[in-house]
Amino acid sequence: MSLIESLRSQVLEKESEHAARIAEREAQEAYYQKSLKPAMLSTLTYFSEVVSNLRFLETTSTVELPVSPDTESTVTLEQGNYELLHDDIKNPVCLEIIGECSLVSPQRFHLSTPEQVAHYTEFLDSIQFSYHRKTQLDSFYEIKSATFDLEGPMKVGIRVEASATNRCVYIYLRNLEGMSTRRYQFAPERINSDLLDRLAKLLLRQESKLVKVEVCSNMRSVLREQVEAEKLERDADIARAMQEMLLERQAEADAKKLSTKLLNFTSTLKAGLTNTA
């Protein structure tokens, strides 16, 4: 292939890649306009009204959250101060509903080991709970213990994102289902009034889970039988393994006895031959 032919081939390949990217962007835009935009607009409209009403009513709620060092004992906080953020009112791609959890009373915790200090620091950072830490050092200037004064507030919220690339709507939950961030993926047609209402109730702590998995009685029976069958199989495997181990030990013992008998017989035979000589 000549130089000019090689250059022409490269130009055609680049033009083809560029055309493919344009076609993909156009397809994604068409999908957004047809499927994602209606879902995002309905979400924006719904939460605009919800947040507006919550702010007008100055709605607050008392919540008990596991933000203590053992991440099990709860601390009392007051949740409120809701806000709605969005990128584009006409063609929304991302919107977020945010609330704040503020301490009802001061909270101080003293942790006596470096491991506890590191674990609690990591936990508070992961949930973005503001705090002041006073650290005590040992003679080697390494962390010995620490006292934590929680400050807050801690953010909670819901983020809704339209993904034309993956043709879905992502819903992120922040410090609502447990002390972490959860992500759910929905087809745009799943974003309906029932789901939005459940989202709002989740934000207000009137629901604990966004998606409930219900198992019918027949399925529960099947699962129970499956668990029992697996347990029986495990028990049979253990019994079989124990039997094999016992047989191996018995075989080893028999072999050892036989070896001892042969050794004694050989010694006796040698002694007899020696005496005869």
Side-chain angles (χ1 to χ4, degrees), residues 38-50:
M40 295 300 292
L41 285 174
S42 64
T43 303
L44 179 58
T45 301
Y46 179 89
F47 278 106
S48 293
E49 183 174 355
V50 168

Side-chain angles (χ1 to χ4, degrees), residues 61-80 99-104 107 109 120 123-124 127 129 150 153-157 174-180 202-205 207-208:
S61 54
T62 301
V63 295
E64 300 288 336
L65 298 179
V67 294
S68 58
D70 62 11
T71 65
E72 292 182 0
S73 303
T74 60
V75 170
T76 304
L77 300 105
E78 188 175 77
Q79 182 174 306
E100 291 182 342
C101 288
S102 303
L103 290 168
V104 173
Q107 297 292 323
F109 301 102
Y120 194 43
F123 171 70
L124 291 176
I127 63 176
F129 202 122
L150 300 188
M154 181 186 73
K155 299 287 186 182
V156 297
R174 180 180 178 183
N175 294 330
L176 289 175
E177 285 189 353
M179 306 308 298
S180 62
L202 186 69
L203 177 66
L204 297 177
R205 310 285 180 174
E207 293 284 355
S208 59

Side-chain angles (χ1 to χ4, degrees), residues 115-145:
E115 293 77 16
Q116 291 174 338
V117 172
H119 182 268
Y120 194 43
T121 300
E122 182 181 357
F123 171 70
L124 291 176
D125 289 342
S126 70
I127 63 176
Q128 298 181 358
F129 202 122
S130 301
Y131 61 92
H132 174 73
R133 189 182 83 180
K134 184 177 181 181
T135 305
Q136 292 79 45
L137 304 179
D138 60 17
S139 58
F140 297 99
Y141 298 97
E142 295 181 349
I143 294 176
K144 178 182 178 181
S145 61

Side-chain angles (χ1 to χ4, degrees), residues 3-256:
L3 175 60
I4 190 66
E5 289 174 336
S6 176
L7 292 173
R8 286 173 180 169
S9 177
Q10 293 177 43
V11 168
L12 290 173
E13 183 178 355
K14 190 170 183 178
E15 288 178 341
S16 177
E17 292 175 354
H18 180 65
R21 286 195 296 270
I22 292 175
E24 178 62 24
R25 283 198 298 269
E26 290 177 348
Q28 291 177 4
E29 177 62 22
Y31 184 79
Y32 170 82
Q33 293 294 331
K34 179 181 178 182
S35 301
L36 292 173
K37 182 177 178 178
M40 295 300 292
L41 285 174
S42 64
T43 303
L44 179 58
T45 301
Y46 179 89
F47 278 106
S48 293
E49 183 174 355
V50 168
V51 171
S52 177
N53 291 335
L54 290 174
R55 293 182 67 86
F56 179 79
L57 297 171
E58 299 182 346
T59 302
T60 60
S61 54
T62 301
V63 295
E64 300 288 336
L65 298 179
V67 294
S68 58
D70 62 11
T71 65
E72 292 182 0
S73 303
T74 60
V75 170
T76 304
L77 300 105
E78 188 175 77
Q79 182 174 306
N81 196 22
Y82 298 101
E83 185 179 6
L84 174 64
L85 306 174
H86 56 81
D87 57 351
D88 189 326
I89 196 169
K90 293 183 178 180
N91 296 283
V93 174
C94 179
L95 61 93
E96 191 166 7
I97 309 96
I98 301 173
E100 291 182 342
C101 288
S102 303
L103 290 168
V104 173
S105 60
Q107 297 292 323
R108 172 175 289 181
F109 301 102
H110 179 75
L111 301 181
S112 57
T113 68
E115 293 77 16
Q116 291 174 338
V117 172
H119 182 268
Y120 194 43
T121 300
E122 182 181 357
F123 171 70
L124 291 176
D125 289 342
S126 70
I127 63 176
Q128 298 181 358
F129 202 122
S130 301
Y131 61 92
H132 174 73
R133 189 182 83 180
K134 184 177 181 181
T135 305
Q136 292 79 45
L137 304 179
D138 60 17
S139 58
F140 297 99
Y141 298 97
E142 295 181 349
I143 294 176
K144 178 182 178 181
S145 61
T147 300
F148 289 81
D149 287 301
L150 300 188
E151 296 176 346
M154 181 186 73
K155 299 287 186 182
V156 297
I158 300 165
R159 188 169 80 250
V160 184
E161 292 183 2
S163 174
T165 302
N166 296 321
R167 301 199 167 199
C168 68
V169 175
Y170 290 116
I171 295 179
Y172 297 85
L173 305 177
R174 180 180 178 183
N175 294 330
L176 289 175
E177 285 189 353
M179 306 308 298
S180 62
T181 299
R182 302 284 178 86
R183 188 185 81 169
Y184 290 93
Q185 179 178 334
F186 294 95
E189 57 269 20
R190 289 281 309 281
I191 309 300
N192 53 32
S193 59
D194 290 339
L195 181 62
L196 295 177
D197 194 53
R198 190 168 187 82
L199 265 176
K201 289 180 178 179
L202 186 69
L203 177 66
L204 297 177
R205 310 285 180 174
Q206 296 175 12
E207 293 284 355
S208 59
K209 294 286 185 181
L210 177 58
V211 177
K212 284 188 176 180
V213 180
E214 296 184 358
V215 181
C216 65
S217 58
N218 289 338
M219 181 58 70
R220 282 196 294 268
S221 177
V222 170
L223 292 174
R224 186 163 48 249
E225 290 176 1
Q226 182 178 347
V227 170
E228 291 175 355
E230 290 176 353
K231 183 179 183 301
L232 290 174
E233 185 176 355
R234 286 196 302 271
D235 292 344
D237 289 340
I238 293 173
R240 189 161 45 249
M242 289 292 295
Q243 183 65 27
E244 291 176 355
M245 182 182 68
L246 291 174
L247 290 174
E248 289 178 0
R249 288 183 177 179
Q250 185 62 46
E252 291 175 357
D254 292 343
K256 188 174 182 179

Side-chain angles (χ1 to χ4, degrees), residues 260-272:
T260 302
K261 287 181 179 180
L262 289 175
L263 181 61
N264 292 337
F265 176 76
T266 303
S267 300
T268 301
L269 182 62
K270 285 183 178 179

